[in-house]
Amino acid sequence: MWTSALVALALAATTATVPAAAPDNGLTWGVCPGEAPPPQIQCGTIRVPLDYRNPDGRTIELAISRIRSTDPERRRGILLTNPGGPGVNGQAYPLVLTDPNAAAPLPSSVRDAYDIIGMDPRGVSRSTPVTCDLTQEQMAVGSLPYANGPADVVKQAALSRQEAAQCASSETAWMQPYVTTANTARDMDRIRSALGEPRMSFLGASYGSYLGAVYTTLFPQRSDRIVLDSNLGPDGYDITAMRAFGRGMQDRFPDFAKYVAARPALGFGTTPAQVTRTYHRLAAELDRAPVAGIDGSIFRGLTFDHIYSDGRFEALATVWTSLDQGEPPAAVPPPPATDNTVAARLTVICNDSSWPRSVHSYQHDVAVDRIRYPLIGAAAANISACAYWPWKPVEKVRITGRGPGNVLLVQNERDPGTPLVNARKLRTAFGERARMVTIDQGGHGAYVFGANPCGNDAVTAFLVSGSRPAHDKYCA
């Protein structure tokens, strides 16, 4: 389960000729791939070790990008960015953050202060990619389908075992054990070095919050200003974070229920409680009789995906209306998943943590979370390919308070993807290194993508002037 909005904003996949430009410490910039790429963004590649324990061994390629500050008095150096994932490309992300016509561009003061840097993490897209040879049918199942009972877990276990086997036998199996968050953080430091910068600032959201936390833990003295938005817990995408999707939806769904209840013409109820009962009714009916291939599991996933943003509430209500009438909804775009995006996501998540191997343990978790988080808990607790992953984790970075006080967490109270409960755990792990700005709003993405001036101003002030709140801050 993960939002796909940023994937659609990536650069086109076609390759253009890249003319040579002046190199930065061995890094050559040129025109970005794609048809008519905007002139303000430059793209390039660097090579990094596959295995940092063997730095003189085999190398892989990283695709990076840059939008230079137009301010000749550029003050802070570089701001490396990450939109989340794992498995999401980030080479085009600086365009998303600096587009003046976008809903949520970075303030001009931040764009003036930094060169904005993007990257496709190792294993992703234009960086040397990984594959698991997944079929369209496998990807159509989605991530962690809803399990109505123990038999559904057994069914998903068979699919998960096959996915893991395909990853192990793919043509990129030589690379996959080294596609980890810790190695991606080391790649980031190679980018910093290639750009000739003594320190680097960072802005990362969702999974990017964990990536940034690992980077500043491994390289505290090379970290300048670190902003972590929509935060995973200190252990990244482990089983606890995966199950937390259930908690996140319980936190967030009432916002959508209030939206629907305020529109009685929709016919789904006039109170949030009635709207919630409608959700369960529709899910159960679609479990029995899918509409245009949309069963109860996909319906729950669509609802979860759409509540990432208030701006998608209207479209979600339209989907509900069509399905309630037994008609295929017109407003559901096909998921932008590719073999690479799914393979890269699986590879990082499965490599970063140890996962239970017992099918029975997942059946137990599903039964518990179906009751504890009835909206989608039985999906979030379901078994995945990580239970059969052929490679064991070789490294776990422990987030601690050792290092300078240069970390700012920003977090929505009602975030479906990265709930507040886990953000607080990350805040605790950082200790005095960090401060946290908590915002009374819903959705995934707090800074710039949110609409709270108090929260946005606090982050902007930190990035531009280094002014960090003296204490944790709450924005009503």
Side-chain angles (χ1 to χ4, degrees):
M1 283 173 279
W2 64 93
T3 188
S4 57
L6 291 173
V7 179
L9 295 168
L11 292 169
T14 54
T15 301
T17 302
V18 180
D24 279 331
N25 292 344
L27 170 63
T28 300
W29 295 104
V31 175
C32 289
E35 296 180 6
Q40 68 268 29
I41 190 168
Q42 301 170 300
C43 290
T45 59
I46 64 170
R47 298 201 72 84
V48 297
L50 171 67
D51 181 1
Y52 279 91
R53 296 169 300 182
N54 182 20
D56 297 323
R58 190 169 187 173
T59 62
I60 57 174
E61 195 169 71
L62 294 182
I64 64 175
S65 63
R66 175 175 68 180
I67 294 181
R68 303 202 75 161
S69 169
T70 58
D71 185 350
E73 302 295 325
R74 184 185 69 134
R75 294 178 291 279
R76 294 308 314 173
I78 59 172
L79 178 68
L80 194 145
T81 61
N82 182 273
V88 174
N89 58 20
Q91 193 180 44
Y93 194 47
L95 286 174
V96 178
L97 292 173
T98 60
D99 182 359
N101 299 315
L106 283 174
S108 59
S109 57
V110 177
R111 301 197 302 272
D112 289 343
Y114 298 92
D115 289 351
I116 311 300
I117 309 298
M119 64 177 281
D120 285 353
R122 61 169 52 205
V124 176
S125 194
R126 292 189 181 86
S127 294
T128 305
V130 295
T131 177
C132 287
D133 301 319
L134 299 171
T135 66
Q136 289 297 323
E137 290 75 17
Q138 286 174 312
M139 290 186 287
V141 171
S143 180
L144 303 182
Y146 191 89
N148 282 295
D152 285 345
V153 180
V154 173
K155 179 181 177 182
Q156 179 61 18
L159 297 174
S160 298
R161 184 191 293 272
Q162 178 60 35
E163 288 178 355
Q166 289 174 215
C167 293
S169 63
S170 77
E171 63 181 13
T172 60
W174 58 270
M175 177 182 173
Q176 281 170 268
Y178 307 100
V179 179
T180 67
T181 298
N183 280 336
T184 301
R186 294 183 178 102
D187 294 340
M188 290 163 53
D189 203 56
R190 288 296 180 106
I191 293 172
R192 175 203 59 78
S193 177
L195 292 173
E197 299 286 346
R199 294 194 297 169
M200 180 177 72
S201 294
F202 179 79
L203 173 62
S206 193
Y207 164 73
S209 69
Y210 181 59
L211 178 59
V214 170
Y215 176 80
T216 198
T217 297
L218 293 177
F219 304 100
Q221 302 308 322
R222 298 175 191 169
S223 305
D224 191 2
R225 296 169 185 173
I226 306 298
V227 175
L228 310 179
D229 184 345
S230 306
N231 297 271
L232 286 169
D235 295 314
Y237 261 128
D238 63 355
I239 190 171
T240 300
M242 199 65 66
R243 292 178 69 182
F245 283 129
R247 169 65 183 268
M249 188 157 180
Q250 295 295 141
D251 291 345
R252 172 61 165 159
F253 185 81
D255 290 339
F256 176 67
K258 290 176 185 176
Y259 171 91
V260 173
R263 293 160 177 77
L266 291 171
F268 296 133
T270 57
T271 67
Q274 291 175 346
V275 175
T276 303
R277 286 195 290 272
T278 298
Y279 168 85
H280 289 297
R281 173 181 65 79
L282 284 171
E285 290 175 355
L286 290 165
D287 278 334
R288 292 190 295 270
V291 173
I294 298 176
D295 60 12
S297 179
I298 295 175
F299 166 75
R300 294 176 179 96
L302 283 171
T303 300
F304 179 83
D305 195 47
H306 278 69
I307 63 174
Y308 267 49
S309 167
D310 289 1
R312 304 183 74 186
F313 282 2
E314 182 179 1
L316 179 57
T318 301
V319 170
W320 278 33
T321 298
S322 297
L323 293 173
D324 191 41
Q325 296 171 353
E327 300 173 354
V332 180
T338 65
D339 172 63
N340 174 244
T341 59
V342 178
R345 177 178 174 82
L346 277 176
T347 300
V348 172
I349 291 174
C350 300
N351 280 340
D352 274 2
S353 300
S354 295
W355 291 78
R357 299 276 177 168
S358 165
V359 174
H360 177 73
S361 71
Y362 292 96
Q363 290 174 321
H364 172 270
D365 291 347
V366 162
V368 169
D369 286 5
R370 186 185 299 108
I371 297 171
R372 185 167 58 164
Y373 306 128
L375 293 170
I376 206 165
N382 206 350
I383 194 169
S384 76
C386 295
Y388 302 99
W389 201 242
W391 301 285
K392 293 182 179 180
V394 296
E395 179 181 23
K396 189 70 176 180
V397 177
R398 180 170 174 261
I399 309 300
T400 73
R402 291 191 295 272
N406 61 349
V407 179
L408 183 64
L409 281 64
V410 58
Q411 178 71 34
N412 290 337
E413 273 195 304
R414 301 177 304 282
D415 187 323
T418 52
L420 178 61
V421 62
N422 283 349
R424 286 174 171 161
K425 294 178 183 177
L426 182 60
R427 169 67 182 88
T428 298
F430 270 122
E432 285 303 303
R433 283 205 70 186
R435 296 288 183 266
M436 186 160 85
V437 177
T438 305
I439 304 174
D440 178 15
Q441 65 186 4
H444 191 55
Y447 180 52
V448 299
F449 292 100
N452 187 285
C454 166
N456 285 344
D457 289 349
V459 178
T460 297
F462 174 63
L463 285 172
V464 174
S465 67
S467 174
R468 196 180 69 162
H471 308 283
D472 288 354
K473 184 181 182 70
Y474 182 78
C475 292

